[in-house]
Amino acid sequence: RLWFQLVVLIHDAGHAIAALALRRRVAELTVGDDDPVLTMRVGRFRLHLGAITGRGDVAGFVRYDGLPADARSTFVIALAGPLASVAGAVLTGALAAWSWPHVGLSLFSALATVGGLICCVGNLRVSGHDPVSWSDGVWVRAAWRVMRHAHRQCRDLAGPTRVRAYPPPRHGSTA
């Protein structure tokens, strides 16, 4: 199961890095749906690592400031997790091929590769019953619709129109 925790960590680190790049304050990154086994603090940031039992709505999440974000920021932050999953899958796939004579490392890397691809697809699926458990796909689709609507409105009015989307308080990994 360690490979799955690595997959979730890479996915949620993608959300955190995107939020930081957009000058958002990232308060927490949590992997696991059980009590944390390890908690690390750096300033106001907390990293919680725990077991993924499958009993919770999400396998991990990132909590960042609740300031309203425009649709573009919401789109970028939501899409960053699945893109990080693909990047992680490519890296672990290369590691699996490179480490082939070492069966343990190759198997771990191969599992992480497949898990990363499943995590990407699973999180882009539109699912979830409330904003806390909505998949990245829900947020990506909603932000995309707002951006398209704003673009049409700007074109039709021949002037700037600002359309804002309420950001999720956190992005979770549902794979």
Side-chain angles (χ1 to χ4, degrees):
R1 292 226 193 216
L2 184 61
W3 63 269
F4 188 56
Q5 290 169 314
L6 175 66
V7 166
V8 173
L9 179 62
I10 290 169
H11 177 93
D12 286 325
H15 291 306
I17 291 167
L20 289 169
L22 292 168
R23 292 179 165 59
R24 307 298 294 241
R25 187 179 64 81
V26 177
E28 176 182 356
L29 190 156
T30 297
V31 174
D33 57 0
D34 204 4
D35 291 333
V37 175
L38 174 68
T39 298
M40 297 184 327
R41 293 177 186 259
V42 177
R44 293 184 177 179
F45 174 76
R46 292 182 315 261
L47 172 65
H48 301 288
L49 301 175
I52 300 173
T53 64
R55 291 183 301 231
D57 288 335
V58 296
F61 63 89
V62 174
R63 188 180 316 272
Y64 55 93
D65 62 36
L67 300 174
D70 58 30
R72 182 184 151 277
S73 297
T74 301
F75 181 83
V76 168
I77 292 169
L79 195 57
L83 290 176
S85 294
V86 169
V90 168
L91 289 174
T92 56
L95 180 61
W98 175 77
S99 64
W100 171 240
H102 189 280
V103 176
L105 184 57
S106 289
L107 181 60
F108 178 85
S109 300
L111 287 171
T113 300
V114 172
L117 295 174
I118 290 171
C119 185
C120 172
V121 172
N123 277 282
L124 285 176
R125 214 172 27 93
V126 175
S127 65
H129 57 279
D130 62 35
V132 172
S133 66
W134 282 350
S135 69
D136 297 332
V138 173
W139 292 110
V140 167
R141 184 176 73 172
W144 180 255
R145 286 179 175 169
V146 169
M147 290 187 304
R148 282 187 39 218
H149 177 72
H151 176 71
R152 279 193 217 127
Q153 212 173 23
C154 286
R155 190 180 64 221
D156 293 345
L157 297 175
T161 302
R162 190 172 182 116
V163 177
R164 298 182 72 80
Y166 184 74
R170 63 186 194 179
H171 283 285
S173 303
T174 58

